[in-house]
Amino acid sequence: MPRYRILSFDGGGILGVLTLVLLERIVQEFPTFIKQADLLAGTSTGGIIALGLAHGMHPRDIRALYEQKGRIIFQDSWLDDAFDLGSIVGANYDNRGLEQELKRVFGATKLGDLAQQVLVPAFDLDNGSPDPKRRMWAAKFFSNMGGVYGDYEVPVYKVALYTSAAPTYFPVYEGYIDGGMVANNPSVAAIAHALDTRKQTAAPTVDQIALCSLGSGHSLRHISGNRLDWGYAQWARPLVNILINGVMGVADYQCRQFLRDRYWRLNPVFPPGVDIQIDGVDQVGKLIEIARGVDLHETLLWIDRTWMHPTLEA
């Protein structure tokens, strides 16, 4: 049976630097690793990575975007803070800097122009249905896969902005917010889309799927206190992080049960005391250092044993 390969990338803002360094190291050992993927799935910063790779970019070139333009993307000013009352009534950052860079990178490229299949989650705050019984917010999965559900004409830079509009960090973009609200680890969603015969007439079976999931690093966070009598103001920022990060472990568990040894998850845990936020542009060097120090021995063995072979044994 032919193997169907999915490469998945978590969200995480500037932490995508860690993902990209890990990917660079893997590609150095297996140059065709990315090209062999039948589907590239990514959320938020992982969505930008997936779209960049499908656009033909090398991981080091995508990393250069983060390193060279990170301070433009996460740029704030005293005037913006004054209007936002110090982020109480406004997002931390304007997304115009990110929009500018994404337009420069992707130009007029549409999803249908990409060389590889992609799946990028976002969350639509208002589907605009003329039927009041159907008008609601809902998850949206942008894809250039087959069938009537493809989003071929949507500009790539817009999809990247939709999936990365993290609440409290960036403003809503054209009615969409960060895909991390529904699938910060898009692995399970990618499996479901791969199996959907409406999108692929020759869809694989579960037994044919191999999935490699790359995280963006995991900080050892916790909230102390057995009875926290918090309100909106105290819960606003930690709740966003809890919602985005909490679902990743669920997806990891589900993938392990669905795919068993055809699934691999690489998501390094940061050392105690190292807590890098998604807008921590001053920590890029630390992210590179951590990523270069990760032991990839078992990961490379799995890739060699499971990913590199085009077919499964009968």
Side-chain angles (χ1 to χ4, degrees):
M1 295 187 293
R3 190 181 297 278
Y4 187 94
R5 305 174 182 91
I6 299 173
L7 185 52
S8 175
F9 306 101
D10 289 5
I14 201 67
L15 278 73
V17 168
L18 179 139
T19 308
L20 288 162
V21 174
L22 294 174
L23 195 55
E24 287 178 57
R25 293 179 61 194
I26 292 171
V27 170
Q28 189 172 10
E29 298 295 327
F30 299 102
T32 61
F33 175 67
I34 296 169
K35 293 298 183 184
Q36 286 183 318
D38 297 284
L39 176 61
L40 299 169
T43 300
S44 195
T45 197
I48 295 174
I49 292 171
L51 292 167
L53 296 174
H55 189 50
M57 298 176 69
H58 192 279
R60 65 171 173 269
D61 298 323
I62 305 174
R63 176 159 68 99
L65 171 66
Y66 288 76
E67 293 177 339
Q68 299 169 11
K69 306 297 183 179
R71 293 191 183 279
I72 296 175
I73 294 169
F74 292 103
Q75 186 177 44
D76 205 3
S77 69
W78 67 268
L79 185 61
D80 180 59
D81 279 345
F83 280 120
D84 293 346
L85 300 182
S87 299
I88 294 175
V89 294
N92 278 16
Y93 309 102
D94 194 306
N95 51 17
R96 282 177 293 187
L98 178 59
E99 182 179 29
Q100 174 184 318
E101 291 307 317
L102 290 172
K103 282 183 176 179
R104 181 184 63 81
V105 170
F106 294 113
T109 304
K110 299 176 181 179
L111 283 188
D113 300 326
L114 295 175
Q116 288 177 273
Q117 290 187 340
V118 295
L119 178 71
V120 181
F123 192 85
D124 187 357
L125 294 176
D126 182 357
N127 64 12
S129 174
D131 184 349
K133 294 181 180 179
R134 295 179 178 274
R135 188 172 183 178
M136 64 181 72
W137 57 29
K140 165 64 179 176
F141 293 88
F142 288 92
S143 171
N144 58 355
M145 298 174 72
V148 296
Y149 299 94
D151 303 290
Y152 305 112
E153 297 302 313
V154 183
V156 171
Y157 84 87
K158 286 195 174 187
V159 176
L161 285 162
Y162 297 152
T163 191
S164 59
T168 76
Y169 288 96
F170 291 110
V172 174
Y173 190 82
E174 295 188 350
Y176 291 96
I177 60 172
D178 198 293
M181 296 295 102
V182 291
N184 203 46
N185 174 350
S187 298
V188 177
I191 293 172
H193 273 64
L195 297 175
D196 192 339
T197 54
R198 297 172 300 174
K199 297 178 175 63
Q200 299 192 101
T201 53
T205 64
V206 172
D207 292 339
Q208 290 175 276
I209 293 175
L211 193 153
C212 183
S213 173
L214 297 184
S216 56
H218 179 62
S219 296
L220 296 169
R221 294 182 183 139
H222 67 279
I223 298 176
S224 300
N226 294 326
R227 189 180 183 278
L228 299 173
D229 189 16
W230 285 1
Y232 294 114
Q234 296 99 326
W235 275 115
R237 179 53 60 81
L239 193 57
V240 170
N241 288 324
I242 290 170
L243 289 172
I244 288 178
N245 290 306
V247 297
M248 292 193 294
V250 176
D252 179 40
Y253 169 77
Q254 291 170 330
C255 285
R256 291 185 190 282
Q257 301 310 308
F258 294 152
L259 304 181
R260 302 295 180 177
D261 60 356
R262 288 173 286 109
Y263 168 72
W264 189 262
R265 171 76 167 163
L266 178 60
N267 189 33
V269 177
F270 295 159
V274 175
D275 188 359
I276 303 176
Q277 302 295 324
I278 70 172
D279 57 350
V281 292
D282 58 335
Q283 297 293 308
V284 166
K286 185 66 175 178
L287 288 167
I288 294 173
E289 176 189 338
I290 293 172
R292 287 176 175 169
V294 173
D295 184 355
L296 293 183
H297 179 70
E298 294 297 326
T299 299
L300 297 176
L301 283 178
W302 180 88
I303 291 172
D304 185 49
R305 180 180 66 247
T306 306
W307 184 274
M308 299 304 294
H309 298 283
T311 59
L312 294 164
E313 294 182 3

